[in-house]
């Protein structure tokens, strides 16, 4: 019973490098989300998707891009990483809007 | 816009003590309210929820009541255990937002000592 799986779990980047974080869910959920967690700030929404082929901006979208080519996958991309993007990234999915969200274990990213 | 304010931590209690973590919210509509818990090294998981005024959510001995008149959703537990040590997040979801995204409080770190 995998639920929501995030890869990788840890990554260190240099400023200006690019990378893609992968989120996969096996619950047939329509809605998927990317959050970042920073100390003392809770979780903030980066981008979300309400279905395959759709994406929308959240509270802090700058510097990130996303794609939802398949219903089960939601990719988060950093085209040119900056130290301000050092954070823990969480993916989540839900079936109905406003319903329970199921979270992955997170990706810890450091940008030097 | 929507916002959630919760009691700042860290909170340190002895085993079997009573726990209260305060949470208040601001929302223009009628949001659903949640408490999520994050154990060390893990993602968030739902602890309890309430979808309308006066609803009480409960799970694992934790309770919270949706109080519309005070815009609050305080988390309580009568007797905490060492295994309850974690970070607790209050959150709301407004159906009108379209995507059902959660707005989180800043989190409260709870440590329970034996």
């Amino acid at each position: 019973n995998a639920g929501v799986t995030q890869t990788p779990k840890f990554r260190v980047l240099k400023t200006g490098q690019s990378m893609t974080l992968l989120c996969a869910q096996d619950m047939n959920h329509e809605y998927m989300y990317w959050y970042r967690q920073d100390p003392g700030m809770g979780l903030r929404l980066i981008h979300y998707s309400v279905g395959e082929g759709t994406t929308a901006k959240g509270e802090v979208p700058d510097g990130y891009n996303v794609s939802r080519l398949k219903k089960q996958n939601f990719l988060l991309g950093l085209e040119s990483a900056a130290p301000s993007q050092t954070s823990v990234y969480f993916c989540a999915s839900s079936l109905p809007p406003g319903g329970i969200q199921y979270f992955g274990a997170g990706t810890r990213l450091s940008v030097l | 816009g929507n916002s959630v304010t919760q009691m700042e931590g860290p909170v340190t209690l002895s085993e079997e003590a009573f726990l209260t973590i305060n949470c208040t919210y601001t929302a223009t509509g009628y949001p659903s309210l949640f408490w999520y818990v994050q154990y060390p090294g893990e993602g968030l998981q739902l602890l309890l929820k309430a979808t309308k005024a006066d609803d009480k959510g409960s799970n694992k001995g934790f309770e919270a009541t949706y109080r519309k008149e005070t815009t609050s959703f305080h988390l309580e537990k009568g007797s905490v255990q060492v295994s309850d040590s974690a970070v607790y997040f209050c959150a709301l979801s407004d159906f009108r937002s379209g995507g059902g995204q959660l707005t989180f409080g800043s989190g409260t770190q709870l440590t329970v000592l034996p």
Side-chain angles (χ1 to χ4, degrees), chain A residues 59-101:
Chain A
E59 180 185 355
V60 288
D62 293 343
Y64 304 95
N65 56 77
V66 288
S67 64
R68 183 101 181 265
L69 299 180
K70 293 183 178 181
K71 185 177 182 179
Q72 63 268 33
N73 295 337
F74 195 29
L75 278 63
L76 177 70
L78 286 73
E79 291 186 348
S80 179
S84 60
Q85 294 177 305
T86 293
S87 188
V88 181
Y89 292 86
F90 287 100
C91 176
S93 70
S94 72
L95 188 54
I100 299 169
Q101 291 190 15

Side-chain angles (χ1 to χ4, degrees), chain A residues 1-6 23-35 43 90-96 98-106, chain B residues 34 36 43-47 49 100 102 104:
Chain A
N1 190 8
V4 179
T5 304
Q6 292 183 232
C23 176
Q25 53 95 3
D26 62 2
M27 297 174 283
N28 202 34
H29 286 171
E30 288 292 336
Y31 294 74
M32 297 188 74
Y33 310 85
W34 275 107
Y35 296 90
L43 279 74
F90 287 100
C91 176
S93 70
S94 72
L95 188 54
I100 299 169
Q101 291 190 15
Y102 295 85
F103 285 79
Chain B
F34 304 84
Y36 280 82
L44 281 71
Q45 55 186 275
L46 180 71
L47 181 60
K49 69 171 186 174
L102 292 168
F104 286 91

Side-chain angles (χ1 to χ4, degrees), chain A residues 36-53:
Chain A
R36 59 177 288 172
Q37 182 182 27
D38 300 295
M41 301 186 72
L43 279 74
R44 293 180 292 167
L45 183 68
I46 304 171
H47 286 280
Y48 65 98
S49 169
V50 301
E52 182 178 321

Side-chain angles (χ1 to χ4, degrees), chain B residues 23-38:
Chain B
C23 171
T24 58
Y25 68 90
T26 301
T28 53
Y30 298 92
S32 293
L33 301 176
F34 304 84
W35 278 100
Y36 280 82
V37 58
Q38 184 180 30

